[in-house]
Each structure stands twice: as structure tokens, then as C-alpha cells.
């Protein structure tokens, strides 16, 4: 009898054990980056569109997660600012996920970046995506983004401090150079966040970290807002 009851309980609990809980992307972002002073929940919050305003999509890594809320605040009343519901990662993730990220409607402006995860050094000291593959992948991604009819803006990869263990600034410079070549060929405007951040890293970037303080993310949002506003339809 006890065995029968136990078997019934196991059968009832099995679906609960095997059903995946909804992902808390903000918690995952914080857990992957210990010591950050920024809460990414606001960036990942759903956006209710104000009818009649242009729709903007931000695609990028955790740096873009940091500045997204400030961009939304600055563009309130001018545009509905959305972002992908995740970390954009390297270009190989972009290739796998881009169709899904774009499927939630028409976009008027897309502000995007890949690079920081492509040049990340993985086991064996190799970069995650070799620079030749990065160039090829980026061309494919830009071609796909162009099919949306949106106005595109590419953001350069932000600087890496010299004491960061798994990335080096010389790779950032090299990957940005390749990206600029791709954007020039495709006629895509560039938001040069690298040039904006580089002279003020000591004030806005976390120590020994590619990420930024809350005030740093607010400052990074300023050129992003300007780049997006330049592409919005005139009132």
C-alpha cells in the first residue's frame, strides 16, 4: 500500500520537476558578472508601444543592457525603444537568433553591435570568433538587417582595460577596424562608442572590467540617443 502511494506521488510530481521555469534573464546577467553595480532588469522589461511613435530596436551585449534604460528615458515621447530579450553575444549567436529577435513587428531604427564576445579569448587562448569569420558573419547579419527596411546604426565595440584577462584592447581595435570596413561598404552609419568611452574610462568604467558604473552607462547612452535621433523620421 505504501509503495502504491509513493508511486502515485512520484507520478504527480514528475511533470513539475521536468517543466522548465521561465528564465530570469536579468538575474542570469548579474550572476554571470559578479561585482557589477547595475541592475539589468529595467533593460529587459517589456515595452508597451505608444501608438504612432517610431519603433527602435537595440541589439547588443551587456554593455547595451546597461545603457538601454537611459536611452528609453531620453527618447520617451519620440520613439518606442525595445531591445532583444537577451545578451546578443558573438556574431555566431546573432546568426542563430536574429530572425527570432526581429519577428516582433516592424522596426524603424535598429542600433546594433557585435564584437566584444567575438574577440573574447576562450580555452587555449584563442578568440571565440576569428576576425575573418567575424567579418563574414557581420556582412551576413547586416544583409539580413537591411531586409527589415529599418535605418541601421552600428555601434563600435567599447574599450577593454589593459588588465582584463580574457580580452585585449589591440583585438578591440582590430575588430572595430573590420567592422568599420563592413559598415562603409554597406552604407551603415556608425556610432563610435569606442572613441567616446576611451578618453573617460577612468571615470566611467569599473576597475579591471569591461563594464561600466551606472553613471558610466548613462554617459554611454548620450551618443546612442544622438545616433538614434538622427535616424528617426522628422516630426
Amino acid at each position: 500500500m505504501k509503495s502504491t502511494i509513493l508511486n502515485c506521488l512520484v507520478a504527480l510530481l514528475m511533470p513539475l520537476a521536468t517543466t522548465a521555469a521561465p528564465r530570469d534573464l536579468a538575474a542570469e546577467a548579474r550572476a554571470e558578472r559578479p561585482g557589477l553595480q547595475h541592475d539589468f532588469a529595467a533593460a529587459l522589461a517589456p515595452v508597451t508601444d505608444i501608438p504612432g511613435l517610431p519603433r527602435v530596436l537595440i541589439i547588443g551585449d551587456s554593455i547595451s543592457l546597461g545603457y538601454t534604460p537611459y536611452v528609453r528615458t531620453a527618447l520617451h515621447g519620440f520613439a518606442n525603444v525595445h531591445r532583444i530579450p537577451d545578451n546578443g553575444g558573438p556574431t555566431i549567436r546573432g546568426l542563430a537568433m536574429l530572425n527570432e529577435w526581429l519577428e516582433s513587428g516592424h522596426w524603424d531604427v535598429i542600433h546594433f553591435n557585435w564584437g566584444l564576445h567575438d574577440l573574447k579569448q576562450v580555452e587555449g587562448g584563442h578568440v571565440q570568433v576569428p576576425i575573418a569569420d567575424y567579418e563574414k558573419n557581420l556582412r551576413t547579419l547586416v544583409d539580413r538587417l537591411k531586409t527589415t527596411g529599418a535605418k541601421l546604426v552600428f555601434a563600435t565595440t567599447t574599450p577593454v582595460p589593459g588588465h582584463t584577462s580574457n580580452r585585449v584592447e589591440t583585438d578591440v581595435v582590430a575588430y572595430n577596424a573590420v567592422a568599420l570596413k563592413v559598415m562603409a561598404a554597406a552604407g551603415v552609419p556608425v556610432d563610435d562608442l569606442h572613441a567616446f568611452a576611451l578618453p573617460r574610462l577612468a571615470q566611467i568604467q569599473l576597475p579591471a572590467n569591461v563594464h561600466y558604473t551606472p553613471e558610466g552607462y548613462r554617459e554611454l547612452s548620450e551618443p546612442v540617443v544622438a545616433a538614434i535621433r538622427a535616424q528617426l523620421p522628422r516630426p
Side-chain angles (χ1 to χ4, degrees):
M1 180 68 176
K2 289 182 179 178
S3 175
T4 302
I5 293 173
L6 181 61
N7 289 339
C8 290
L9 286 172
V10 170
L12 287 170
L13 291 173
M14 278 289 286
L16 297 177
T18 56
T19 300
R23 291 180 64 192
D24 184 343
L25 295 174
E28 289 178 21
R30 293 191 297 273
E32 290 171 3
R33 302 166 188 88
L36 292 191
Q37 304 172 25
H38 202 73
D39 185 351
F40 291 106
L44 294 164
V47 173
T48 300
D49 282 346
I50 298 174
L53 292 185
R55 301 183 81 237
V56 174
L57 178 64
I58 295 175
I59 299 175
D61 51 36
S62 56
I63 307 302
S64 71
L65 278 165
Y67 59 65
T68 291
Y70 299 105
V71 175
R72 282 195 184 128
T73 298
L75 291 177
H76 181 72
F78 295 94
N80 300 304
V81 180
H82 299 254
R83 68 156 288 115
I84 58 171
D86 211 339
N87 186 318
T91 51
I92 50 177
R93 177 163 176 74
L95 292 172
M97 296 296 297
L98 190 56
N99 285 339
E100 182 176 326
W101 290 337
L102 294 174
E103 69 182 6
S104 58
H106 168 78
W107 301 108
D108 295 284
V109 180
I110 300 175
H111 184 282
F112 67 102
N113 164 266
W114 284 279
L116 197 60
H117 284 265
D118 292 86
L119 58 84
K120 180 180 179 180
Q121 294 176 0
V122 293
E123 187 176 352
H126 304 293
V127 294
Q128 184 161 212
V129 178
I131 194 165
D133 292 338
Y134 173 70
E135 180 176 357
K136 179 178 68 174
N137 295 347
L138 203 53
R139 291 186 189 279
T140 301
L141 289 163
V142 169
D143 286 345
R144 173 63 182 93
L145 288 170
K146 280 189 163 188
T147 67
T148 65
K151 294 183 177 180
L152 307 180
V153 181
F154 176 78
T156 55
T157 297
T158 47
V160 169
H163 36 275
T164 302
S165 61
N166 59 359
R167 295 177 176 92
V168 294
E169 176 64 8
T170 52
D171 283 341
V172 176
V173 172
Y175 277 62
N176 274 339
V178 162
L180 291 176
K181 181 174 69 172
V182 171
M183 300 310 144
V188 174
V190 173
D191 177 10
D192 198 349
L193 292 185
H194 184 275
F196 177 85
L198 191 60
R200 61 194 83 194
L201 289 184
Q203 290 75 46
I204 67 175
Q205 197 173 49
L206 293 173
N209 201 309
V210 298
H211 298 93
Y212 295 80
T213 65
E215 176 60 20
Y217 283 122
R218 188 200 64 74
E219 289 197 34
L220 279 179
S221 75
E222 293 174 0
V224 177
V225 168
I228 291 171
R229 288 202 67 166
Q231 301 301 321
L232 291 175
R234 299 288 181 183

